[in-house]
């Protein structure tokens, strides 16, 4: 199932990430590290005085997993088994005892009960799923009242050369496995319909302000 603006299907995601899995860490560790660190810092700030239960949506190869404090107890999900297999090896290799489970699951149809987690994190995922609004609905459903949803994303340029480049790349979204032209309005319009969720922070991140940290709070 896809939203009206997406050109990515589940099959595209599965085939793109089966191709990316063996080389993902080589290509995407450095550039996206500041975003993962910022996302993890926002989550760790919720766990300074207590343990929290975190859902990591689209955990991929688990590059962000070592960045969470031991007080953060993590359940990770992803659609791609080849990506999850890399993450499972990382957990064993690095002895990440706070990772409780890594499961194959669709972010658009989570099997967890309502209000199961203190926080949800999704670094670099919303531009990848076929339906971002439905994914946001699911994250909001499983987070407890008072909890946070922390997103890291590339938000598409609205005008200029960058917007043109993103529109051109957007025609190749299915092969790439993500949407370079993702507009803020997808999140903004969703928020406008959700009086129970507020925007707590929206901050540009390095490198070159390419990515944005977004913190949403469930009232
Ligand atoms: C760009 S990667 C980000 C991985 C990781 N969070 C990181 O920071 O490197 C996006 C991940 O989202 C996963 N994904 C895409 N659509 C999904 C869906 N509907 N349900 C669960 N995971 C999905 C992909 O398989 C991929 O592992």
């Amino acid at each position: 199932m896809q939203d009206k603006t997406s050109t990515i299907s589940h099959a595209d995601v599965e085939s793109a990430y089966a191709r990316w899995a063996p080389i993902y860490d080589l290509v995407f560790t450095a550039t996206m590290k500041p975003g993962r660190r910022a996302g993890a810092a926002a989550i760790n700030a919720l766990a300074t005085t207590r343990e929290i239960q975190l859902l990591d949506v689209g955990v991929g190869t688990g590059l962000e997993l070592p960045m969470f404090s031991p007080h953060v107890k993590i359940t990770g999900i992803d659609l791609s088994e080849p990506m999850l297999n890399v993450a499972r090896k990382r957990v064993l290799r690095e002895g990440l005892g706070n990772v409780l489970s890594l499961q194959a699951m669709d972010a658009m149809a989570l099997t967890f009960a309502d209000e199961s987690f203190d926080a949800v994190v999704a670094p670099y995922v919303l531009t990848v799923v076929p339906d971002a609004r439905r994914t946001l609905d699911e994250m909001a459903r499983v987070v407890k009242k008072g909890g946070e949803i922390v997103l890291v994303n590339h938000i598409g340029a609205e005008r200029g050369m960058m917007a043109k480049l993103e529109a051109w790349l957007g025609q190749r979204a299915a092969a790439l496995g993500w949407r370079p032209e993702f507009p803020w309005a997808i999140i903004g319009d969703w928020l406008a319909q959700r009086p129970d969720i507020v925007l707590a922070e929206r901050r540009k991140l390095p490198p070159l302000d390419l990515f944005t940290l977004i913190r949403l709070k469930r009232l």
Side-chain angles (χ1 to χ4, degrees):
M1 195 167 312
Q2 284 171 248
D3 71 21
K4 290 194 290 290
T5 59
S6 176
T7 51
I8 300 181
S9 67
H10 273 154
D12 294 331
V13 169
E14 294 204 67
S15 72
Y17 284 91
R19 274 183 277 116
W20 280 122
I23 53 163
Y24 185 88
D25 290 4
L26 210 61
V27 181
F28 296 111
T29 298
T31 36
M32 286 147 73
K33 193 176 198 169
R36 291 189 192 98
R37 283 214 182 285
I43 296 296
N44 292 341
L46 304 172
T48 48
T49 54
R50 64 183 179 117
E51 273 188 4
I52 65 161
Q53 295 292 326
L54 173 71
L55 176 64
D56 187 331
V57 172
V59 63
T61 64
L63 282 168
E64 63 265 33
L65 292 175
M67 298 176 183
F68 295 106
S69 93
H71 286 116
V72 178
K73 305 298 174 194
I74 309 161
T75 300
I77 67 113
D78 201 286
L79 202 60
S80 166
E81 274 290 354
M83 294 289 274
L84 282 170
N85 284 336
V86 179
R88 289 182 184 119
K89 286 187 192 137
R90 184 187 312 284
V91 168
L92 287 178
R93 192 172 61 241
E94 302 198 23
L96 302 174
N98 58 332
V99 178
L100 306 184
S101 75
L102 295 172
Q103 307 174 33
M105 198 183 292
D106 182 0
M108 289 160 31
L110 297 173
T111 59
F112 304 111
D114 298 358
E115 300 191 42
S116 295
F117 298 94
D118 299 293
V120 177
V121 74
Y124 309 110
V125 173
L126 226 49
T127 47
V128 172
V129 291
D131 189 332
R133 294 173 192 86
R134 201 164 143 189
T135 304
L136 285 165
D137 275 337
E138 279 294 85
M139 293 188 206
R141 181 180 67 74
V142 300
V143 79
K144 292 178 186 167
K145 293 189 178 82
E148 283 199 15
I149 301 169
V150 175
L151 310 169
V152 179
N153 254 6
H154 172 69
I155 303 296
E158 281 171 18
R159 59 188 78 83
M161 277 307 292
M162 199 59 175
K164 286 194 183 129
L165 176 67
E166 286 167 358
W168 179 81
L169 275 172
Q171 295 162 16
R172 287 142 190 88
L176 280 173
W178 72 86
R179 302 165 60 179
E181 83 296 15
F182 191 87
W184 168 257
I186 292 180
I187 298 172
D189 293 352
W190 179 81
L191 274 173
Q193 290 173 3
R194 294 290 308 233
D196 56 328
I197 312 280
V198 292
L199 179 62
E201 188 178 0
R202 178 182 172 186
R203 174 163 48 97
K204 294 269 192 197
L205 297 170
L208 304 169
D209 289 350
L210 210 53
F211 301 108
T212 302
L213 174 83
I214 300 148
R215 282 177 44 233
L216 308 176
K217 196 166 171 68
R218 181 167 178 195
L219 300 176

